[in-house]
Amino acid sequence: ADDKDLLPRWARFVKGVINTAELTPTLSRGEIITDDAYRRVQGLLGAVIIGYLRLLQEKDPEKLSKPVSQNIR
């Protein structure tokens, strides 16, 4: 799987590094094997991003409007 597929499609504005021993690289280490661990991490990332966006909505709505307005095109 391509590393860009790890994030939900709606979260393409998120950038970062994921440091985990849960994901299994292929032999070439250029891709990641799509297995149960991959899907767990994928689901967890989506939940963490949604949680953070909800927190921003509550605590700092102005900050939340920046990534939303930049990615609605």
Side-chain angles (χ1 to χ4, degrees):
D2 189 315
D3 58 343
K4 293 177 184 169
D5 295 331
L6 192 56
L7 288 174
R9 290 182 160 245
W10 54 263
R12 296 295 179 223
F13 60 94
V14 175
K15 304 289 183 223
V17 175
I18 299 169
N19 184 8
T20 180
E22 297 295 317
L23 300 176
T24 308
T26 59
L27 187 57
S28 69
R29 303 185 82 58
E31 292 191 7
I32 299 169
I33 295 174
T34 306
D35 56 7
D36 288 339
Y38 179 93
R39 286 183 278 284
R40 275 194 309 274
V41 170
Q42 190 177 42
L44 190 62
L45 286 171
V48 167
I49 294 166
I50 289 171
Y52 181 68
L53 293 175
R54 285 185 175 146
L55 179 70
L56 279 180
Q57 181 181 22
E58 182 182 313
K59 302 286 184 186
D60 195 351
E62 186 177 318
K63 194 173 190 179
L64 175 63
S65 69
K66 290 177 184 176
V68 171
S69 64
Q70 291 173 355
N71 287 284
I72 298 178
R73 293 184 186 154

